[in-house]
Amino acid sequence: MVGMEKHLLFLSFLLLFSFVHPRFASAEGTNDRSEQWGYVEVRPGAHLFWWLYRSSYRVEDPSKPWPVLLWLQGGPGGSSVGFGNFGEIGPLDENLQPRNFTWLRKADLLFVDSPVATGFSYVEDESLVVKTDYEAAADLTTLLIELFNGNETLQKSPLYIFAESYGGKFASALGLTALEAIEAGKLKAQLGGVALGDSWISPEDYVVCDLQPLKDLFVLHNEDSHFCLVTHCCICTIMKFSWGPVLKVMSRIDENGLNQSNSLALKIQQQLAEGKLENATATWSDLERVILLYSNNVDFYNFLLDYESNSAAVTESRIRSNRYIERTSTGAGAANGGLGNLMNGPIRKKLKIIPVNVTWQGQGSLVSAAFVGDFMKPRIEEVDKLLAKGVNVTVYNGQVRISP
Ligand SMILES: *[C@@H]1O[C@H](CO)[C@@H](O)[C@H](O)[C@H]1NC(C)=O
Ligand SMILES: *[C@@H]1O[C@H](CO)[C@@H](O)[C@H](O)[C@H]1NC(C)=O
Ligand SMILES: *[C@@H]1O[C@H](CO)[C@@H](O)[C@H](O)[C@H]1NC(C)=O
Ligand SMILES: *[C@@H]1O[C@H](CO)[C@@H](O)[C@H](O)[C@H]1NC(C)=O
Ligand SMILES: *[C@@H]1O[C@H](CO)[C@@H](O)[C@H](O)[C@H]1NC(C)=O
Ligand SMILES: *[C@@H]1O[C@H](CO)[C@@H](O)[C@H](O)[C@H]1NC(C)=O
């Protein structure tokens, strides 16, 4: 009888455990353990894929513990495991050649295909796709709990959350969510800081600028445009608009293109003021389309180039900046070019655990569609809250990029 009760107790414990606790669906790695990867089932049917690289450059210094850096891609729906890893900072480039300036020289690197349905991450049912930055942050926090709580070495490494582009919104939300979990004793980790690269934390300021420019901040001044460099509004004009005037002054668009883009920018501002977030996202897509049309396909990641003349950037920028455009055409996110072949070929083979019916996509099409309501929402307050809690926030931006 007692034995039976124990048995039942154990059984209910197991049941409870399996409901509240995320599961490693599977994990794998290299024999030397310098690389580990796997899936965490962050909610029933929702699987996040992660890949951790342990640095061979690690220096043991008790006063300056070796950091671990979580890299979050933009989009939303851009693959960190693909773009961030092979395209930007990982140990190997897209031709599988060693990258001399890999960030592994400075940290262990953790790439996560987030939100679910991005890259190798997947959902068993489309209803499990997340729609907001905070839902994505909750899933990431669940993954961090799973990875960190069982490993004391990781717990001693300060965790830096790095992000680019739309990922800046995830990173700000995750910074807060992770910190709450740490304070509540649920996540055993130390938050080292948050770093936002070219981040999309203030969408309205990227199209319309309400700051009154200060005359002495003007760096360029001529008859049809006046623009200045100010803090979070990269290029603020007395015409209030960001994209059009700078592209006009660079001779990337003509007056007709300028007029059309300015009126769309104004429409976005009105829609945001009315709380019509989905409509603002749609208008933002229209704005990109107008700019592409009038500029002969300016590269949103380097306005000095066209997509065609910047073949290195072509794959990611076209996929990412045209996401709402591609969503409406067939095969959304299918045009992943060389990186798609790499990820679905040799990399998939190496990883061994990718389910047969999961195909890597550079830009998860389910994800960008799901974020239509959150896309234009700012995450500036999150940065203020992080700073108020004493978290270091680093902001870094390029000079020639004009889109998330
Ligand atoms: C990496 O560095 C080595 C040695 O400094 C150099 O020979 C090689 O060309 C570099 N590779 C790239 C891709 O820059
Ligand atoms: C893959 O196929 C299996 C079996 O048909 C199914 O159970 C699973 O949900 C599918 N996964 C995805 C991501 O579609
Ligand atoms: C914990 O993390 C350290 C450093 O990243 C690693 O060397 C070790 O193998 C990990 N332990 C387990 C059990 O995964
Ligand atoms: C652009 O707008 C300005 C001001 O509204 C107007 O004077 C000008 O004619 C317009 N140009 C074109 C090409 O539409
Ligand atoms: C605004 O968005 C809603 C919901 O997405 C849509 O039904 C409506 O047609 C949109 N209105 C405009 C003016 O685009
Ligand atoms: C923030 O960064 C500064 C400069 O690197 C450093 O001195 C400080 O300790 C950091 N603060 C935290 C809380 O990590």
Side-chain angles (χ1 to χ4, degrees):
M1 207 49 194
V2 171
M4 175 109 152
E5 265 170 21
K6 257 192 191 158
H7 193 72
L8 277 176
L9 222 119
F10 182 63
L11 205 82
S12 55
F13 173 75
L14 267 186
L15 277 175
L16 194 79
F17 195 71
S18 66
F19 277 120
V20 299
H21 203 268
R23 286 179 286 147
F24 273 112
S26 41
E28 268 282 350
T30 51
N31 289 336
D32 64 0
R33 298 184 68 77
S34 64
E35 296 173 38
Q36 258 187 306
W37 55 84
Y39 281 104
V40 172
E41 189 170 6
V42 288
R43 284 171 286 128
H47 307 260
L48 276 183
F49 181 76
W50 57 275
W51 191 341
L52 174 66
Y53 289 86
R54 298 193 170 98
S55 176
S56 59
Y57 301 93
R58 173 183 276 271
V59 178
E60 299 295 350
D61 176 354
S63 70
K64 210 171 161 232
W66 190 257
V68 55
L69 191 155
L70 167 63
W71 181 264
L72 298 174
Q73 211 69 35
S79 165
S80 171
V81 165
F83 295 119
N85 181 8
F86 293 100
E88 296 174 341
I89 63 168
L92 299 178
D93 66 16
E94 293 180 29
N95 299 311
L96 300 183
Q97 297 304 304
R99 172 176 283 110
N100 282 353
F101 301 105
T102 171
W103 289 18
L104 265 183
R105 288 178 180 271
K106 298 288 180 193
D108 288 0
L109 300 179
L110 174 60
F111 297 97
V112 180
D113 276 341
S114 167
V116 285
T118 293
F120 285 131
S121 295
Y122 65 96
V123 286
E124 289 171 29
D125 186 292
E126 291 191 8
S127 67
L128 297 168
V129 167
V130 300
K131 297 187 177 66
T132 69
D133 301 333
Y134 275 101
E135 287 171 1
D139 280 353
L140 280 166
T141 303
T142 304
L143 175 126
L144 290 176
I145 289 170
E146 190 64 20
L147 294 187
F148 277 69
N149 284 18
N151 188 314
E152 284 184 12
T153 315
L154 278 177
Q155 289 164 27
K156 286 184 198 135
S157 304
L159 169 67
Y160 289 87
I161 303 169
F162 265 74
E164 90 172 67
S165 194
Y166 194 89
K169 293 184 67 187
F170 293 137
S172 326
L174 175 61
L176 287 178
T177 312
L179 206 57
E180 271 167 32
I182 290 169
E183 285 165 359
K186 288 183 195 151
L187 169 61
K188 293 181 188 163
Q190 301 168 42
L191 185 58
V194 172
L196 310 173
D198 295 336
S199 77
W200 187 243
I201 55 166
S202 187
E204 184 171 353
D205 288 319
Y206 283 98
V207 284
V208 188
C209 181
D210 266 339
L211 296 181
Q212 285 303 311
L214 302 168
K215 283 236 166 3
D216 48 352
L217 280 177
F218 283 7
V219 289
L220 257 173
H221 190 186
N222 65 32
E223 266 179 18
D224 46 26
S225 70
H226 314 249
F227 57 110
C228 58
L229 300 175
V230 285
T231 53
H232 68 289
C233 185
C234 318
I235 294 154
C236 173
T237 83
I238 58 167
M239 295 174 70
K240 288 189 20 149
F241 306 111
S242 303
W243 279 359
V246 76
L247 291 170
K248 171 71 166 50
V249 97
M250 299 302 294
S251 299
R252 289 305 320 236
I253 57 172
D254 62 10
E255 194 178 315
N256 203 356
L258 175 70
N259 281 9
Q260 288 196 37
S261 67
N262 283 350
S263 76
L264 286 171
L266 211 53
K267 190 171 165 191
I268 292 171
Q269 189 181 38
Q270 280 160 1
Q271 287 169 329
L272 289 176
E274 290 163 12
K276 293 181 175 164
L277 286 157
E278 297 190 358
N279 297 100
T281 302
T283 311
W284 179 83
S285 271
D286 293 343
L287 177 55
E288 275 208 333
R289 196 176 290 129
V290 159
I291 284 174
L292 286 170
L293 183 69
Y294 281 92
S295 65
N296 188 32
N297 289 317
V298 65
D299 184 338
F300 280 86
Y301 296 83
N302 179 351
F303 64 62
L304 303 176
L305 304 175
D306 297 339
Y307 280 129
E308 279 66 27
S309 66
N310 181 9
S311 62
V314 80
T315 322
E316 189 185 10
S317 18
R318 177 168 287 154
I319 292 162
R320 290 197 302 186
S321 66
N322 290 3
R323 58 201 169 287
Y324 288 101
I325 298 168
E326 289 198 3
R327 185 154 57 93
T328 56
S329 61
T330 51
N336 295 316
L339 190 57
N341 294 335
L342 175 69
M343 300 305 286
N344 288 311
I347 299 307
R348 172 188 202 93
K349 203 168 163 192
K350 164 179 170 155
L351 299 175
K352 298 195 197 90
I353 56 169
I354 310 301
V356 280
N357 48 4
V358 173
T359 303
W360 183 90
Q361 292 191 339
Q363 168 60 47
S365 45
L366 279 178
V367 179
S368 42
F371 270 76
V372 67
D374 229 34
F375 185 76
M376 296 298 284
K377 239 184 227 170
R379 295 287 172 220
I380 305 174
E381 275 177 27
E382 282 71 8
V383 175
D384 287 341
K385 284 183 190 163
L386 286 169
L387 292 172
K389 281 172 173 275
V391 176
N392 274 350
V393 179
T394 303
V395 174
Y396 61 101
N397 290 308
Q399 295 163 305
V400 289
R401 180 171 180 165
I402 52 173
S403 132

